[in-house]
Amino acid sequence: MTVFLILATMLVAGALLLVIPPMLGAGAKAREHAARQEQARTVLVVLREQLAELDAERAAGRIAEADYQRSRDEVEQRALAEGGTAEAGVDGAPARGWALGVVFAVPVLAVTVYMLLGTPAGLDPENLKPAPEAGHQITPEQMQAMVAQLAERLEREPDNVQGWMMLGRSYAVMQNFQGAVATWQKIGAQIPEQADILADWADLLAGAAGRKFEGDPDRLIVRALALDPNHVKALALSGTSAFRRGDYAQASAQWEKILASLQPGVEPYPSILASINEARTKGGLPLLSPPAGPQAAGMAGGGGAAEQGGAASTALTLRGRLSLAPELASKAGADDTIFVFARPAQGGMPIAALRIRAGELPVDFDFASAQRMSQGPLPAQIAIGARLSKGGSATASAGDLESQAVLAAPDAEGVSIVIDRVRK
């Protein structure tokens, strides 16, 4: 209450300081300035009207260009001259009576208005309670309206590359597959020939079809790879499409192209390697081994056993149960792919990874049969985490569902992992 009153008093005093001095000693200057301002406005009005008439005359062909320019100059000079003469005859008498009235009237009026329209009870500390935090997030309804407006705009601007990317990714985040399909059927034929856009919409349309790539998704992937043979997302989707139709050799080949562009110590190398070896296993092909040498030795997060706080057994037998939070159940499709990673507690390249179908949840997992991505002693503590890929790709992206990391020993049992958040 005290702070409010002090601030209110300061504001009133400040207002009076701005008003009273001109009324007491500088009234003449203030009125001179006001008169000049009024005259300036008059000049502008006159000038505008005269110029409008001249412009109309010239447009109608009733006045030559030379006459138009001469008349324009005369109008401007006459208006300026009239403005200059209006500065004479200014009254310089101070307004002391008004100043005295304002000094008393302003504080009284401020208090009266506050008592009538304000909240006097709010000055009492006993009545002050924290107000609930105002929501500033965009509501789902507002998001849907904005996406609909963007779709309508693309009907008029089909070559808007950024618009197509924003629209596709908005539909993906909102999981609005029905709206995406409707938009595609309406203006999809006009989609720009951009690999990023084609791959995003292939992913979106495949998701709308229950991760089935036959038809438009496969055609869009082919178009994207024709534009950019090394496009990572298009290669990932192409491999996923091949994997789903049972062409495991083709799936492995497409994913290996992605692997060739990555460093062994950089995410998402291990998840892609796990996908490749799953395809190779199903296709009866030899497994692809992780790189040997210093790079592979560093995949466990760097440092020797002593730096890890003591080495555990070289056998990774960690077991547990993976589940999905009920509030995210509607966001997961039965055929969505889940990657479960085991990595050093301090971060770094995963030690091993498992691949599971979302339709199997909840499910028990066991790293005893998982292929190691790095050799050597295991750290005493391992971080276990899971990610559900909405695009079926080993590359993490916005909209994926994921869990928090859980620390456990390499031979721990009964570890519980819950996928409970959406990746931003």
Side-chain angles (χ1 to χ4, degrees):
M1 176 177 68
T2 302
V3 174
F4 173 81
L5 292 176
I6 292 174
L7 290 175
T9 302
M10 291 176 63
L11 289 174
V12 172
L16 292 174
L17 287 175
L18 292 175
V19 174
I20 299 305
M23 298 180 72
L24 291 176
K29 293 182 179 179
R31 283 186 288 275
E32 280 184 35
H33 178 71
R36 286 197 299 269
Q37 292 295 320
E38 183 62 28
Q39 184 62 34
R41 284 192 292 270
T42 302
V43 169
L44 288 176
V45 171
V46 172
L47 180 60
R48 218 171 14 245
E49 292 176 353
Q50 294 293 328
L51 289 179
E53 292 177 4
L54 286 173
D55 288 339
E57 291 289 326
R58 184 177 65 169
R62 293 192 292 268
I63 186 172
E65 184 64 28
D67 293 337
Y68 168 79
Q69 292 295 339
R70 184 175 59 257
S71 298
R72 181 187 178 94
D73 293 341
E74 291 175 356
V75 169
E76 291 177 348
Q77 291 174 3
R78 185 169 64 253
L80 291 174
E82 290 175 359
T85 59
E87 296 183 0
V90 176
D91 180 13
R96 292 188 177 89
W98 278 104
L100 187 61
V102 169
V103 168
F104 289 101
V106 168
V108 173
L109 184 61
V111 172
T112 302
V113 170
Y114 182 77
M115 296 298 292
L116 293 174
L117 303 180
T119 310
L123 298 177
D124 187 351
E126 295 296 326
N127 296 329
L128 296 178
K129 296 182 180 179
E133 183 178 355
H136 298 289
Q137 294 184 349
I138 297 177
T139 65
E141 292 75 16
Q142 291 173 323
M143 175 64 75
Q144 291 174 3
M146 289 188 291
V147 171
Q149 290 176 359
L150 179 57
E152 292 177 2
R153 177 181 173 187
L154 288 180
E155 292 185 47
R156 302 187 298 271
E157 305 173 14
D159 295 330
N160 186 338
V161 173
Q162 293 298 324
W164 274 98
M165 295 179 67
M166 289 177 59
L167 183 62
R169 290 168 185 173
S170 297
Y171 279 136
V173 171
M174 296 167 59
Q175 296 290 290
N176 185 3
F177 295 123
Q178 183 178 359
V181 171
T183 300
W184 176 257
Q185 292 172 345
K186 193 171 186 179
I187 57 173
Q190 304 177 70
I191 192 170
E193 288 293 311
Q194 295 278 341
D196 287 339
I197 299 176
L198 295 172
D200 282 347
W201 276 84
D203 189 11
L204 187 59
L205 295 177
R211 302 313 300 167
K212 295 178 181 178
F213 288 82
E214 295 82 359
D216 284 331
D218 273 336
R219 284 191 285 270
L220 290 173
I221 293 169
V222 171
R223 287 166 62 183
L225 290 176
L227 293 168
D228 183 358
N230 296 314
H231 193 274
V232 172
K233 184 167 186 176
L235 287 171
L237 293 173
S238 177
T240 302
S241 176
F243 187 93
R244 286 189 164 276
R245 64 175 180 267
D247 190 349
Y248 302 115
Q250 175 68 8
S252 177
Q254 295 295 76
W255 290 336
E256 286 176 45
K257 293 176 183 177
I258 302 175
L259 203 67
S261 65
L262 301 176
Q263 293 295 327
V266 177
E267 193 75 58
Y269 190 98
S271 55
I272 295 175
L273 181 59
S275 298
I276 290 171
N277 283 333
E278 181 181 0
R280 284 174 164 265
T281 299
K282 290 181 178 293
L285 302 172
L287 297 182
L288 190 66
S289 300
Q295 282 184 316
M299 289 172 68
E307 292 178 303
Q308 302 293 344
S313 168
T314 56
L316 179 61
T317 59
L318 188 146
R319 291 184 290 180
R321 190 164 182 81
L322 175 65
S323 60
L324 178 68
E327 61 269 20
L328 296 182
S330 62
K331 297 182 179 293
D335 291 328
D336 287 342
T337 300
I338 299 175
F339 297 97
V340 185
F341 298 103
R343 67 180 76 229
Q346 70 272 26
M349 199 66 181
I351 301 168
L354 299 173
R355 179 170 172 155
I356 299 171
R357 283 181 63 254
E360 301 172 10
L361 296 176
V363 64
D364 294 327
F365 63 86
D366 187 351
F367 277 92
S369 59
Q371 182 183 14
R372 290 277 299 275
M373 298 180 184
S374 63
Q375 304 303 319
L378 294 173
Q381 290 285 304
I382 290 177
I384 311 299
R387 177 174 56 81
L388 186 151
S389 173
K390 294 303 299 177
S393 169
T395 305
S397 60
D400 287 353
L401 311 181
E402 58 188 10
S403 72
Q404 294 186 357
V406 176
L407 296 180
D411 58 352
E413 298 183 7
V415 178
S416 177
I417 305 296
V418 181
I419 298 175
D420 59 359
R421 59 185 180 180
V422 180
R423 185 183 183 89
K424 302 300 184 183

